[in-house]
Amino acid sequence: MKAVLLSLWQYRHFIWSSIRAEFAGRFARSKLGALWMILNPLAQATIFAVVLSEVLVTKIANIDNKAAYAIYLMAGMAAWGLFAEIINRSTTVFIDYSNTLKKISFPRLCLPLIVGGSALINHLLLLAAIAVVFLFFGHLPTLAWLVLPLGMILIVLFAFGLGIILGLLNVFSRDVGQVMGIVLQLWFWFTPVVYLIDSMPPRFAAILKLNPMMPLVRIYQNALLYGTLPNISSLLIPTLVSSGLFVFSFWIFRRASADLVDAL
């Protein structure tokens, strides 16, 4: 693993330049250019907030704020969106860049890092847009927001580790990518993003607690809505799972990388 990390460090400029090139290509021939990186998430966050707080008037018990559910939903969507984007793009990244892999020699693990870096930048911009919407509703930041980087790290580790494994499997069996589209949809509804876990029947609540994404999403919801810090004991298992999966993905990648290009 040390050798892999050293090779990635040597190609750090290649990774960063690839991330910048990806964003530059996304907004090529656009008058507003990179400004769309802020306007798009800001519009999305505003629509959620206005519809849920002003039209549907959905409320959360014990919180006297008509925008509470909108804040809850946007917090959960932000956390889930980071996870889902890394998973979706990592699953197909080796196939998408198959021509590059065959023509240029570089550490193949750079590709998931480029995907992860791009997703993280999108996520930070979304959080900035959400913060603007929160201010509009008078929901001011608290010190609990400082815990969000911990949530980002755990989600990225978990998604990166799982994404690399799925990306490798998808090279050798393209059915993996199709199946994951369905699995992610089911996984989303087994994660308390749209609904409150307290509203679920006890028999389903016990199953939801087995979901490693639930405590990670709760970090965002607790910090952004309730202004509370996560319970350390509740993060023990997600931290072990995320870290273990991240390390395991490096090991399995080294075992499979020799046959990767041939399979493409």
Side-chain angles (χ1 to χ4, degrees), residues 22 29 34 173 183 222 264:
E22 181 175 315
R29 298 187 180 183
S173 176
V183 171
N222 289 336
L264 291 169

Side-chain angles (χ1 to χ4, degrees), residues 7-251:
S7 64
L8 292 175
W9 175 253
Q10 292 173 351
Y11 279 81
R12 63 189 182 280
H13 299 297
F14 167 73
I15 295 172
W16 175 240
S17 62
S18 298
I19 294 174
R20 287 189 300 175
E22 181 175 315
F23 279 100
R26 183 186 305 179
F27 302 107
R29 298 187 180 183
S30 172
K31 297 293 184 181
L32 296 179
L35 187 59
W36 285 113
M37 295 168 61
I38 298 176
L39 293 178
N40 279 328
L42 181 60
Q44 181 186 27
T46 303
I47 291 170
F48 270 117
V50 171
V51 171
L52 293 172
S53 62
E54 300 293 339
V55 179
L56 299 180
V57 197
T58 309
K59 295 183 178 181
I60 294 181
N62 302 321
I63 299 183
D64 188 19
N65 184 347
K66 65 179 182 180
Y69 181 71
I71 295 170
Y72 175 89
L73 179 61
M74 286 189 286
M77 290 292 291
W80 178 264
L82 175 61
F83 169 73
E85 182 177 357
I86 294 177
I87 291 294
N88 281 325
R89 296 195 58 195
S90 295
T91 301
T92 61
V93 66
F94 299 116
I95 297 173
D96 294 340
Y97 287 87
S98 58
N99 290 332
T100 304
L101 288 171
K102 294 174 182 178
K103 296 177 181 178
I104 304 175
S105 176
F106 64 94
R108 300 178 180 103
L109 208 55
C110 288
L111 295 178
L113 285 178
I114 294 170
V115 167
S118 176
L120 195 56
I121 293 175
N122 288 334
H123 181 67
L124 292 173
L125 291 171
L126 176 60
L127 288 180
I130 287 175
V132 173
V133 176
F134 286 0
L135 291 176
F136 176 76
F137 282 101
H139 188 70
L140 302 178
T142 65
L143 290 177
W145 288 31
L146 296 176
V147 80
L148 291 180
L150 173 61
M152 292 180 206
I153 291 172
L154 292 177
I155 291 174
V156 168
L157 288 178
F158 182 52
F160 187 84
L162 184 58
I164 289 177
I165 296 172
L166 292 172
L168 291 173
L169 292 175
N170 197 36
V171 169
F172 297 98
S173 176
R174 304 300 167 88
D175 294 331
V176 172
Q178 303 298 327
V179 171
M180 276 310 299
I182 301 173
V183 171
L184 278 179
Q185 292 183 45
L186 295 174
W187 198 341
F188 173 80
W189 289 106
F190 272 94
T191 306
V193 174
V194 177
Y195 55 87
L196 300 173
I197 190 171
D198 298 333
S199 65
M200 297 296 292
R203 63 182 184 276
F204 292 117
I207 298 175
L208 293 179
K209 290 180 180 179
L210 300 175
N211 180 0
M213 275 302 295
M214 189 186 76
L216 302 183
V217 169
R218 295 280 290 179
I219 293 177
Y220 279 67
Q221 292 167 339
N222 289 336
L224 295 177
L225 176 59
Y226 301 102
T228 59
L229 298 175
N231 188 332
I232 300 300
S233 61
S234 68
L235 296 181
L236 179 59
I237 293 179
T239 300
L240 292 176
V241 171
S242 300
S243 303
L245 194 61
F246 181 75
V247 174
F248 177 72
S249 68
F250 276 80
W251 177 81

